[in-house]
Amino acid sequence: RLQLEESGGGSVKPGGSLRLTCVDSGYAYTYSMGWFRQAPGKEREQVACMNKEGDAHYGLSMAGRVTISRGPNRLDLEMKNLRSEDTAMYYCAFDDKKYWCLSPDYWGPGTQVSVSS
């Protein structure tokens, strides 16, 4: 079974940058993989998704400020110009059935990102 583990979260000031990493172990045929986030009291939202062919999509909330990339057994999210509203738990997720991360079944435990002055 596929297992995911995120790292790289932390506390930064507005305008700062972070690089999140998701390491995957085990196996699942993956159609798409991506990053989601959830802030307290808010619904979970997709930040970025990459299909197995490499094409990527970015959610409106962070488009232009994040870049998703894939390496051997890892999925990275480069984030820049962070804002206080980006404070959330960030999750890595893999979808073994659909493109564009529409129904991911595999989730990591999350990594906290906090942006404040």
Side-chain angles (χ1 to χ4, degrees), residues 4 30-37 44-53 55-59 68 75 77 91-107:
L4 306 174
T30 303
Y31 282 87
S32 58
M33 60 214 81
W35 288 90
F36 293 74
R37 70 181 185 181
R44 186 174 62 200
E45 63 173 334
Q46 185 184 116
V47 176
C49 179
M50 176 179 283
N51 290 330
K52 63 184 181 69
E53 292 84 4
D55 45 334
H57 171 268
Y58 297 94
I68 189 171
L75 184 71
L77 185 71
Y91 299 92
C92 169
F94 280 36
D95 194 330
D96 63 349
K97 295 185 292 295
K98 296 184 179 180
Y99 287 101
W100 303 119
C101 305
L102 294 179
S103 63
D105 284 331
Y106 300 93
W107 294 85

Side-chain angles (χ1 to χ4, degrees), residues 53-112:
E53 292 84 4
D55 45 334
H57 171 268
Y58 297 94
L60 291 176
S61 61
M62 298 195 80
R65 299 187 293 123
V66 295
T67 303
I68 189 171
S69 60
R70 175 75 167 151
N73 297 110
R74 62 183 289 163
L75 184 71
D76 291 344
L77 185 71
E78 189 77 37
M79 305 189 296
K80 61 182 181 181
N81 193 21
L82 287 164
R83 306 166 182 166
S84 57
E85 54 264 39
D86 296 323
T87 295
M89 186 71 80
Y90 285 71
Y91 299 92
C92 169
F94 280 36
D95 194 330
D96 63 349
K97 295 185 292 295
K98 296 184 179 180
Y99 287 101
W100 303 119
C101 305
L102 294 179
S103 63
D105 284 331
Y106 300 93
W107 294 85
T111 185
Q112 178 69 40

Side-chain angles (χ1 to χ4, degrees), residues 3-59:
Q3 292 184 315
L4 306 174
E5 184 78 30
E6 304 95 337
S7 63
S11 297
V12 296
K13 293 183 178 180
S17 301
L18 282 174
R19 185 181 187 91
L20 306 183
T21 295
C22 173
V23 175
D24 64 270
S25 59
Y27 176 79
Y29 188 83
T30 303
Y31 282 87
S32 58
M33 60 214 81
W35 288 90
F36 293 74
R37 70 181 185 181
Q38 187 166 22
K42 295 187 177 181
E43 292 189 357
R44 186 174 62 200
E45 63 173 334
Q46 185 184 116
V47 176
C49 179
M50 176 179 283
N51 290 330
K52 63 184 181 69
E53 292 84 4
D55 45 334
H57 171 268
Y58 297 94

